[in-house]
Amino acid sequence: MGFFDGLRGGAAQFQSGSASSNAIALTKRSPTVSLSKQGAVSGNLRVNLSWRMRTSDIGGRSGQSGQLLRHPFKLFKPEIVQAHTQGMVNVDLDIGCLYELTDGTRGVVQPLGNFLGDINNPPYVKLSGDDRFGAPSGETLFVNLDHADKIKRLLVFVYIYDQTPAFDRTHALVTLYPVTGPRIEIALDERAPEARSCAVLSLESVKGELVVRREVKFVYGFQAELDRLYGWGLQWGRGYKTTKA
């Protein structure tokens, strides 16, 4: 598999946390939150990706309700999708991050090519782990906000490593855990059956405040297409994951 081939301005709408759930859900209607207003502009910001495969949705497709009445155990059986061969869906989602520092340095942190970053030195972003099976712990990026003044912008993205585009077959969630204040959740809940990558969130300074913005933009290519969409200007080549023993 290949090493796959200006953030928006304007008025920001900020959302406060929920006391009952201690979480902020960023949505289309409420897409931004200020880490500065939460006092969460220092320490390590943890950005976690977790997912699980969808089971059949009751009534989600025409004729499915009748099939479930005749074959109720199909509810617990993963659906089959068409790829190069017919098989059970097993999606390998990866999290990565495009970064631009205030000195003009640009790059990527991701499993492909073993670009795992560094938490205490530039780019102040570190990837921990590569979960290929959707385990509850998922994959995590750490951002050292003690050096937030050296970070111009970040774009956190998720992509499907294998060649089966199946975002619509997964329940994926990206959760941010600041050092103070509620966690921030962004669900990849839009159906994009042919998409292979998704720009999930951006982090940048807006009028002196450190702001997280929900992006959730699905694309049909990989990192190079996200690069073009957000104007990073990197050179992309081919690369592979290392095989675990």
Side-chain angles (χ1 to χ4, degrees), residues 154-209:
L154 302 178
L155 180 72
V156 174
F157 60 87
V158 171
Y159 62 95
I160 297 175
Y161 176 69
D162 65 26
Q163 297 189 25
T164 303
F167 269 111
D168 65 332
R169 309 311 312 145
T170 63
H171 291 287
L173 181 69
V174 172
T175 306
L176 285 71
Y177 298 90
V179 292
T180 61
R183 68 183 184 274
I184 302 164
E185 296 180 343
I186 303 175
L188 277 61
D189 51 4
E190 298 177 17
R191 295 298 179 96
E194 300 300 322
R196 297 180 183 274
S197 306
C198 179
V200 180
L201 65 95
S202 59
L203 176 68
E204 66 172 341
S205 178
V206 178
K207 296 181 179 179
E209 293 191 28

Coordinates of all heavy atoms in Angstrom, one line a residue, residues 154-209:
L154 N -2.2 22.6 13.3 CA -2.2 21.1 13.2 C -3.5 20.7 12.5 O -4.5 21.3 12.7 CB -2.1 20.5 14.6 CG -1.0 20.8 15.5 CD1 -1.1 20.1 16.8 CD2 0.4 20.5 14.9
L155 N -3.4 19.6 11.7 CA -4.6 19.0 11.1 C -4.5 17.5 11.4 O -3.6 16.8 10.9 CB -4.6 19.2 9.6 CG -5.8 18.6 8.9 CD1 -7.1 19.4 9.2 CD2 -5.6 18.5 7.4
V156 N -5.4 17.0 12.3 CA -5.5 15.6 12.6 C -6.4 14.9 11.6 O -7.5 15.4 11.3 CB -6.0 15.4 14.1 CG1 -6.2 14.0 14.4 CG2 -5.1 16.1 15.1
F157 N -5.9 13.8 11.1 CA -6.7 13.1 10.1 C -6.7 11.6 10.4 O -5.9 11.1 11.2 CB -6.1 13.3 8.7 CG -4.7 12.9 8.5 CD1 -4.3 11.6 8.1 CD2 -3.6 13.8 8.7 CE1 -3.0 11.2 8.0 CE2 -2.3 13.5 8.5 CZ -2.0 12.1 8.2
V158 N -7.6 10.9 9.7 CA -7.7 9.5 9.9 C -7.8 8.9 8.5 O -8.4 9.5 7.6 CB -9.0 9.1 10.7 CG1 -9.3 7.6 10.6 CG2 -8.9 9.6 12.1
Y159 N -7.1 7.8 8.2 CA -7.2 7.2 6.9 C -7.3 5.6 7.1 O -7.0 5.1 8.1 CB -6.0 7.6 6.1 CG -4.7 7.1 6.6 CD1 -4.1 6.0 6.2 CD2 -4.0 7.9 7.5 CE1 -2.8 5.6 6.7 CE2 -2.8 7.6 8.0 CZ -2.2 6.4 7.6 OH -1.0 6.0 8.1
I160 N -7.7 5.0 6.0 CA -7.9 3.5 6.0 C -6.6 3.0 5.3 O -6.4 3.3 4.1 CB -9.1 3.1 5.2 CG1 -10.4 3.6 6.0 CG2 -9.2 1.6 5.1 CD1 -11.7 3.3 5.2
Y161 N -5.9 2.2 6.0 CA -4.6 1.7 5.5 C -4.8 0.7 4.3 O -4.1 0.8 3.3 CB -3.8 1.1 6.6 CG -2.5 0.5 6.0 CD1 -1.5 1.3 5.6 CD2 -2.3 -0.9 6.0 CE1 -0.3 0.7 5.1 CE2 -1.1 -1.4 5.5 CZ -0.1 -0.6 5.0 OH 1.0 -1.2 4.6
D162 N -5.7 -0.3 4.5 CA -5.9 -1.3 3.5 C -6.7 -0.7 2.3 O -7.0 0.5 2.3 CB -6.5 -2.6 4.0 CG -7.9 -2.3 4.5 OD1 -8.6 -1.4 4.0 OD2 -8.4 -3.1 5.3
Q163 N -6.9 -1.5 1.3 CA -7.5 -0.9 0.1 C -9.1 -1.1 0.1 O -9.7 -1.0 -1.0 CB -6.9 -1.6 -1.1 CG -5.4 -1.3 -1.3 CD -4.8 -1.8 -2.6 OE1 -5.5 -2.0 -3.6 NE2 -3.6 -2.1 -2.6
T164 N -9.7 -1.3 1.2 CA -11.1 -1.4 1.3 C -11.7 -0.1 1.8 O -11.6 0.1 3.0 CB -11.6 -2.6 2.1 OG1 -11.0 -3.8 1.6 CG2 -13.1 -2.7 2.1
P165 N -12.3 0.8 1.0 CA -12.9 2.0 1.6 C -14.1 1.6 2.3 O -15.1 1.1 1.8 CB -13.2 2.8 0.3 CG -13.3 1.8 -0.8 CD -12.4 0.7 -0.4
A166 N -14.2 1.8 3.6 CA -15.3 1.3 4.4 C -15.6 2.2 5.6 O -15.9 1.7 6.7 CB -15.0 -0.1 4.9
F167 N -15.4 3.5 5.5 CA -15.8 4.4 6.6 C -17.2 4.2 7.0 O -17.5 4.4 8.2 CB -15.5 5.9 6.2 CG -14.1 6.4 6.5 CD1 -13.2 6.6 5.5 CD2 -13.7 6.5 7.8 CE1 -11.9 7.1 5.8 CE2 -12.4 7.0 8.1 CZ -11.6 7.3 7.1
D168 N -18.1 3.9 6.1 CA -19.5 3.8 6.4 C -19.8 2.4 7.2 O -20.9 2.2 7.6 CB -20.4 3.9 5.2 CG -20.2 2.7 4.2 OD1 -19.0 2.2 4.2 OD2 -21.1 2.4 3.5
R169 N -18.7 1.6 7.3 CA -18.9 0.3 8.1 C -18.3 0.4 9.5 O -18.2 -0.6 10.2 CB -18.3 -0.8 7.3 CG -18.6 -1.0 5.8 CD -20.1 -0.9 5.5 NE -20.9 -1.8 6.4 CZ -22.1 -1.5 6.8 NH1 -22.6 -0.3 6.5 NH2 -22.8 -2.3 7.6
T170 N -17.9 1.6 9.9 CA -17.3 1.7 11.2 C -17.9 2.8 12.0 O -18.5 3.8 11.5 CB -15.8 2.1 11.1 OG1 -15.6 3.4 10.4 CG2 -15.0 1.1 10.3
H171 N -17.9 2.6 13.3 CA -18.2 3.7 14.3 C -16.8 4.2 14.8 O -16.2 3.6 15.6 CB -19.0 3.2 15.5 CG -20.4 2.7 15.1 ND1 -21.4 3.6 14.8 CD2 -20.9 1.5 15.0 CE1 -22.5 3.0 14.6 NE2 -22.3 1.7 14.7
A172 N -16.4 5.4 14.3 CA -15.1 5.9 14.7 C -15.3 7.2 15.5 O -16.2 8.0 15.2 CB -14.3 6.2 13.4
L173 N -14.5 7.4 16.5 CA -14.6 8.5 17.4 C -13.2 9.0 17.7 O -12.3 8.2 18.1 CB -15.3 8.1 18.7 CG -15.5 9.2 19.7 CD1 -16.5 10.2 19.3 CD2 -15.9 8.6 21.1
V174 N -13.0 10.3 17.5 CA -11.8 11.0 18.0 C -12.1 11.8 19.2 O -13.0 12.6 19.2 CB -11.2 11.9 16.8 CG1 -10.0 12.7 17.4 CG2 -10.8 11.0 15.6
T175 N -11.3 11.5 20.3 CA -11.5 12.2 21.6 C -10.3 12.9 22.0 O -9.2 12.3 22.0 CB -11.9 11.1 22.6 OG1 -13.1 10.4 22.2 CG2 -12.3 11.8 23.9
L176 N -10.4 14.2 22.4 CA -9.3 15.0 22.9 C -9.5 15.0 24.4 O -10.5 15.3 24.9 CB -9.3 16.4 22.3 CG -8.9 16.5 20.9 CD1 -9.9 16.0 19.9 CD2 -8.6 18.0 20.6
Y177 N -8.3 14.8 25.1 CA -8.3 14.9 26.5 C -7.3 16.0 27.0 O -6.1 15.8 27.1 CB -7.9 13.6 27.1 CG -8.8 12.4 26.8 CD1 -8.6 11.6 25.7 CD2 -9.8 12.1 27.7 CE1 -9.4 10.5 25.4 CE2 -10.7 11.0 27.4 CZ -10.5 10.3 26.3 OH -11.3 9.2 26.0
P178 N -7.8 17.2 27.2 CA -7.0 18.3 27.7 C -6.6 18.0 29.1 O -7.2 17.2 29.8 CB -7.9 19.5 27.6 CG -9.1 19.1 26.8 CD -9.2 17.7 26.9
V179 N -5.6 18.7 29.6 CA -5.1 18.5 31.0 C -6.2 19.1 32.0 O -6.3 18.6 33.1 CB -3.8 19.2 31.2 CG1 -2.7 18.5 30.5 CG2 -3.8 20.7 30.9
T180 N -7.0 20.1 31.6 CA -8.1 20.5 32.4 C -9.3 20.7 31.5 O -9.2 20.8 30.3 CB -7.8 21.9 33.0 OG1 -7.5 22.9 31.9 CG2 -6.5 21.9 33.9
G181 N -10.5 20.6 32.2 CA -11.7 20.8 31.5 C -12.2 19.5 30.9 O -11.6 18.4 31.0
P182 N -13.4 19.5 30.3 CA -14.0 18.3 29.7 C -13.3 17.8 28.5 O -12.6 18.5 27.8 CB -15.4 18.7 29.4 CG -15.3 20.2 29.1 CD -14.3 20.7 30.1
R183 N -13.5 16.5 28.2 CA -12.9 15.9 27.0 C -13.8 16.4 25.8 O -14.9 16.9 26.0 CB -13.0 14.4 27.0 CG -14.4 13.8 27.0 CD -14.3 12.3 27.1 NE -15.7 11.7 27.0 CZ -16.5 11.5 28.0 NH1 -16.1 11.9 29.3 NH2 -17.7 11.0 27.8
I184 N -13.2 16.3 24.6 CA -13.8 16.8 23.4 C -14.0 15.7 22.5 O -13.0 15.0 22.1 CB -13.0 18.0 22.8 CG1 -12.8 19.1 23.8 CG2 -13.6 18.5 21.5 CD1 -11.6 20.0 23.5
E185 N -15.2 15.5 22.0 CA -15.5 14.3 21.1 C -15.9 14.8 19.7 O -16.7 15.7 19.6 CB -16.6 13.5 21.7 CG -16.2 12.8 23.1 CD -17.3 12.0 23.7 OE1 -18.4 12.1 23.2 OE2 -17.0 11.2 24.6
I186 N -15.3 14.1 18.7 CA -15.7 14.3 17.3 C -16.0 12.9 16.7 O -15.1 12.1 16.6 CB -14.6 15.0 16.5 CG1 -14.3 16.3 17.2 CG2 -15.1 15.2 15.1 CD1 -13.1 17.1 16.5
A187 N -17.3 12.7 16.3 CA -17.7 11.4 15.8 C -17.5 11.5 14.2 O -18.0 12.5 13.6 CB -19.1 11.1 16.2
L188 N -17.0 10.4 13.6 CA -17.0 10.3 12.2 C -18.2 9.6 11.8 O -18.2 8.4 11.4 CB -15.7 9.6 11.7 CG -14.4 10.5 11.6 CD1 -14.0 11.0 13.0 CD2 -13.3 9.6 11.1
D189 N -19.3 10.3 11.9 CA -20.6 9.6 11.7 C -21.3 9.9 10.4 O -22.4 9.5 10.2 CB -21.6 10.1 12.9 CG -21.6 11.6 13.0 OD1 -21.0 12.3 12.2 OD2 -22.3 12.1 13.9
E190 N -20.6 10.6 9.5 CA -21.2 10.8 8.2 C -20.9 9.6 7.3 O -19.8 9.1 7.3 CB -20.7 12.1 7.6 CG -21.1 13.3 8.4 CD -20.5 14.6 7.8 OE1 -20.0 14.6 6.7 OE2 -20.4 15.6 8.6
R191 N -21.9 9.2 6.5 CA -21.6 8.1 5.6 C -20.8 8.5 4.4 O -21.3 9.4 3.6 CB -23.0 7.4 5.1 CG -23.8 6.8 6.3 CD -23.0 5.7 6.9 NE -23.7 5.0 8.0 CZ -24.4 3.9 7.9 NH1 -24.6 3.4 6.7 NH2 -25.0 3.4 9.0
A192 N -19.7 7.9 4.2 CA -18.8 8.2 3.0 C -18.2 6.9 2.5 O -17.1 6.6 2.8 CB -17.7 9.2 3.4
P193 N -19.0 6.1 1.8 CA -18.6 4.7 1.6 C -17.4 4.5 0.7 O -16.7 3.5 0.8 CB -19.9 4.1 0.9 CG -20.6 5.3 0.4 CD -20.4 6.3 1.4
E194 N -17.1 5.5 -0.2 CA -15.9 5.4 -1.0 C -14.7 6.2 -0.5 O -13.6 6.1 -1.1 CB -16.3 5.9 -2.4 CG -17.4 5.1 -3.1 CD -17.1 3.6 -3.2 OE1 -15.9 3.3 -3.5 OE2 -18.0 2.8 -3.0
A195 N -14.9 6.9 0.6 CA -13.7 7.7 1.1 C -12.7 6.8 1.7 O -12.9 5.8 2.3 CB -14.3 8.7 2.1
R196 N -11.4 7.3 1.6 CA -10.3 6.6 2.1 C -9.6 7.4 3.2 O -8.8 6.9 4.0 CB -9.3 6.3 1.1 CG -9.8 5.3 0.0 CD -8.8 5.0 -1.0 NE -9.3 4.2 -2.1 CZ -9.3 2.8 -2.1 NH1 -8.9 2.2 -1.0 NH2 -9.8 2.1 -3.1
S197 N -9.9 8.7 3.3 CA -9.3 9.6 4.4 C -10.3 10.6 4.8 O -11.3 10.9 4.2 CB -8.1 10.3 3.8 OG -7.2 9.4 3.2
C198 N -10.0 11.1 6.0 CA -10.9 12.1 6.6 C -10.1 13.1 7.4 O -9.3 12.7 8.3 CB -12.0 11.5 7.5 SG -13.1 12.7 8.3
A199 N -10.2 14.4 7.1 CA -9.6 15.4 7.9 C -10.6 15.6 9.1 O -11.8 16.0 8.9 CB -9.5 16.8 7.2
V200 N -10.2 15.3 10.3 CA -11.1 15.3 11.5 C -11.1 16.6 12.2 O -12.2 17.1 12.5 CB -10.6 14.2 12.5 CG1 -11.6 14.1 13.7 CG2 -10.6 12.8 11.8
L201 N -10.0 17.2 12.5 CA -10.0 18.4 13.3 C -8.7 19.3 13.0 O -7.7 18.7 12.6 CB -10.1 18.1 14.8 CG -8.9 17.4 15.5 CD1 -7.9 18.4 16.1 CD2 -9.4 16.4 16.5
S202 N -8.9 20.5 13.3 CA -7.7 21.4 13.2 C -7.5 22.1 14.5 O -8.4 22.2 15.3 CB -7.9 22.5 12.1 OG -9.1 23.3 12.4
L203 N -6.3 22.5 14.8 CA -5.9 23.2 16.0 C -5.0 24.3 15.6 O -4.0 24.1 15.0 CB -5.1 22.2 17.0 CG -4.6 22.8 18.3 CD1 -5.7 23.2 19.2 CD2 -3.7 21.8 19.0
E204 N -5.4 25.5 16.0 CA -4.6 26.7 15.6 C -5.0 27.9 16.6 O -6.0 27.8 17.3 CB -4.8 27.1 14.2 CG -6.2 27.6 13.8 CD -6.3 28.1 12.4 OE1 -5.2 28.5 11.9 OE2 -7.4 28.2 11.9
S205 N -4.2 28.9 16.5 CA -4.5 30.1 17.3 C -5.4 31.0 16.5 O -5.1 31.3 15.3 CB -3.2 30.8 17.6 OG -3.4 32.0 18.3
V206 N -6.5 31.4 17.1 CA -7.5 32.3 16.5 C -7.7 33.5 17.4 O -8.2 33.4 18.5 CB -8.8 31.6 16.2 CG1 -9.8 32.6 15.6 CG2 -8.6 30.4 15.3
K207 N -7.2 34.7 17.0 CA -7.3 35.9 17.8 C -6.8 35.7 19.2 O -7.4 36.1 20.2 CB -8.7 36.4 17.8 CG -9.3 36.8 16.5 CD -10.7 37.3 16.5 CE -11.2 37.7 15.1 NZ -12.6 38.1 15.2
G208 N -5.6 35.0 19.3 CA -5.0 34.8 20.6 C -5.5 33.6 21.4 O -5.0 33.4 22.5
E209 N -6.5 32.9 20.9 CA -7.0 31.8 21.6 C -6.6 30.5 20.8 O -6.7 30.4 19.6 CB -8.5 31.8 21.8 CG -9.0 33.0 22.7 CD -10.4 32.8 23.0 OE1 -11.0 31.7 23.0 OE2 -11.1 33.9 23.3

